[in-house]
Amino acid sequence: MIIMNDLRWSLKDKLALVTGGTKGIGKGIADELIAHGARVICTSRSNETEGEDQGNPVYIQSDASTGAERDELVKEIRERFKRLDILVNNVGTNIRKKTVEYTDDELDILLRTNLISAFTLSRDLHPLLKKGSAPAIVNISSAAGLKHLRTGSIYGMTKAALNQLTKNLAVEWAPDGIRVNAVAPWYINTPLARQVLRDDDYRSEVLSRTPMGRVGEVEEVAALVAFLCMPASSYITGQVIAVDGGFTIKGF
């Protein structure tokens, strides 16, 4: 008889950073990590949560797309918390256009927000993660990084690059004990997704291409992220796992 060790399914005493953790999928991830015992630091570009940092989660105003603010965030975590066990690179944005319509400024903001932020935070927080307890990084990618979507070429490009970064870091940092995985959602029931899915024809087409016939829920993404941070997933690294109701594997 196998007796389940509850500690394998717990995040008790873990310290996690979730970028963009105050809304949508990011908030769901933060809530899930807390429910499993972690203490969570959430970042947001706005200061609407400032002053609420005495409990769990701790809120820090920080724009992940800006190098100076990322530097300040890393400095604050190093000096204030002196440790880190989990990093969830969740922050991301999109501008839906045809490729020939993008400006250089739009290209820059999408690269900095979706890709460069994850690269630099992972790199700069590596020393703290290396000293952490069974450290884990989870990058929030997208089905757009696995398949062609109508969400725009730059968005898909950044997510595909994030998937490759996940694999590279998983191998490079395995000797440091740091596991690195990615989660790639399809349409998830968030306020941003609902704006697009408000169009009945578009929603019907999305659902027709999704074998499970529905959009996903935030909790379904968050549960996988939490699992990938737990000791129970200790032999899983370098993986990009779709949360998509079967979308990315559906053929004709």
Side-chain angles (χ1 to χ4, degrees):
M1 182 176 66
I2 298 175
I3 299 175
M4 192 68 69
N5 181 351
D6 289 344
L7 293 179
R8 297 184 65 242
W9 302 90
S10 171
L11 296 172
K12 187 176 186 300
D13 299 326
K14 299 284 190 178
L15 180 64
L17 169 63
V18 180
T19 62
T22 61
K23 297 178 181 177
I25 290 175
K27 184 178 186 304
I29 291 169
D31 290 344
E32 187 78 16
L33 297 180
I34 290 169
H36 288 280
R39 188 180 187 199
V40 176
I41 305 162
C42 290
T43 68
S44 172
R45 286 183 299 177
S46 69
N47 62 359
E48 61 192 35
T49 52
E50 286 295 295
E52 300 178 21
D53 59 353
Q54 300 305 310
N56 194 11
V58 173
Y59 295 107
I60 298 177
Q61 182 182 359
S62 180
D63 184 349
S65 71
T66 304
E69 294 198 26
R70 290 195 303 269
D71 291 344
E72 285 299 314
L73 173 63
V74 171
K75 180 181 178 182
E76 182 167 356
I77 292 173
R78 184 188 303 121
E79 295 179 353
R80 181 175 172 186
F81 300 96
K82 299 178 174 57
R83 55 183 282 261
L84 191 67
D85 305 305
I86 296 166
L87 169 61
V88 180
N89 288 307
N90 166 74
V91 70
T93 191
N94 194 13
I95 301 170
R96 292 177 170 84
K97 285 186 174 182
K98 295 180 179 179
T99 298
V100 296
E101 296 175 352
Y102 283 108
T103 67
D104 287 347
D105 286 343
E106 290 169 336
L107 170 63
D108 181 62
I109 189 63
L110 288 170
L111 287 171
R112 286 190 289 111
T113 304
N114 296 356
L115 180 60
I116 295 174
S117 65
F119 175 88
T120 56
L121 283 175
S122 298
R123 178 196 65 192
D124 296 346
L125 290 168
H126 173 268
L128 289 180
L129 288 164
K130 186 177 178 180
K131 295 188 295 185
S133 172
I137 297 174
V138 180
N139 296 317
I140 305 305
S141 181
S142 167
L146 300 170
K147 306 282 284 187
H148 166 262
L149 301 185
R150 302 176 196 175
T151 53
S153 60
I154 301 174
Y155 182 78
M157 177 177 72
T158 61
K159 295 302 185 178
L162 188 61
N163 294 344
Q164 187 60 44
L165 176 65
T166 298
K167 298 172 185 179
N168 288 354
L169 295 186
V171 174
E172 184 178 341
W173 292 352
D176 298 328
I178 302 172
R179 293 185 301 107
V180 188
N181 291 288
V183 172
W186 173 225
Y187 276 103
I188 302 299
N189 187 19
T190 65
L192 286 177
R194 286 195 289 272
Q195 291 178 15
V196 179
L197 296 173
R198 193 176 295 134
D199 182 310
D200 289 339
D201 290 339
Y202 187 82
R203 180 183 177 87
S204 294
E205 189 168 2
V206 166
L207 297 184
S208 73
R209 295 171 182 268
T210 307
M212 292 184 70
R214 64 176 177 84
V215 299
E217 298 297 330
V218 168
E219 295 80 8
E220 293 173 309
V221 179
L224 176 57
V225 174
F227 169 69
L228 291 172
C229 296
M230 291 178 178
S233 64
S234 58
Y235 202 52
I236 301 174
T237 195
Q239 303 304 305
V240 180
I241 305 174
V243 182
D244 66 350
F247 165 76
T248 57
I249 61 167
K250 182 178 180 180
F252 177 68

